[in-house]
Amino acid sequence: MAKKRVKPAFLGEFEQMVLLATLQAGDEAYALAVLRELDRRAGRRVDRGALYKTLDRLESKGLVAWSVEAATPERGGHRRRLFRVTREGVDALRASRHALFNLWDGLAILEEPGR
């Protein structure tokens, strides 16, 4: 029997940004690094609470996973979470990108500067 293919989850704008910033942060995708990527690459300042709420929502959708790093003396004994985008998260980003490109296609008014 053929495996049923599940459509990728619909992503909101901020969810896309968080997933992309997490991918950009790579092996250092801790909350602070993701916040820095959002600020640096998207010009979007975000508080930690909003980021964690979004990451938790993305995790519940299966689009992000995380692991806990051991506490260290340098961090005052605090642990931190390392985030990674799952295969489903990458698929959802690709589907969103494809849908947006299709909607943008042929709209000359958006390609002309000053209009």
Side-chain angles (χ1 to χ4, degrees), residues 77-91:
H78 297 277
R79 301 181 314 169
R80 62 182 179 173
R81 292 194 279 177
L82 175 64
F83 298 93
R84 70 172 179 79
V85 178
T86 64
R87 169 104 176 145
E88 293 81 8
V90 171
D91 290 346

Side-chain angles (χ1 to χ4, degrees), residues 9-46:
F10 175 77
L11 297 173
E13 175 193 23
F14 188 61
E15 289 177 325
Q16 289 180 55
M17 288 183 165
V18 168
L19 287 171
L20 292 166
T22 302
L23 288 169
Q24 290 290 351
D27 292 340
E28 294 295 315
Y30 302 100
L32 189 56
V34 174
L35 288 171
R36 284 186 189 134
E37 290 296 328
L38 287 166
D39 186 29
R40 186 170 71 90
R41 292 179 180 264
R44 188 145 179 188
R45 295 202 134 191
V46 178

Side-chain angles (χ1 to χ4, degrees), residues 30 67-81:
Y30 302 100
S67 58
V68 177
E69 182 182 78
T72 63
E74 298 82 33
R75 294 192 38 78
H78 297 277
R79 301 181 314 169
R80 62 182 179 173
R81 292 194 279 177

Side-chain angles (χ1 to χ4, degrees), residues 50-111:
L51 175 65
Y52 277 117
K53 188 173 186 175
T54 301
L55 286 165
D56 288 344
R57 185 173 58 251
L58 291 169
E59 182 195 23
S60 72
K61 292 180 179 182
L63 307 178
V64 167
W66 55 273
S67 58
V68 177
E69 182 182 78
T72 63
E74 298 82 33
R75 294 192 38 78
H78 297 277
R79 301 181 314 169
R80 62 182 179 173
R81 292 194 279 177
L82 175 64
F83 298 93
R84 70 172 179 79
V85 178
T86 64
R87 169 104 176 145
E88 293 81 8
V90 171
D91 290 346
L93 281 169
R94 286 185 180 131
S96 291
R97 182 177 185 222
H98 180 73
L100 288 171
F101 280 171
N102 282 338
L103 288 166
W104 278 79
D105 190 37
L107 294 175
I109 192 168
L110 297 175
E111 295 172 8

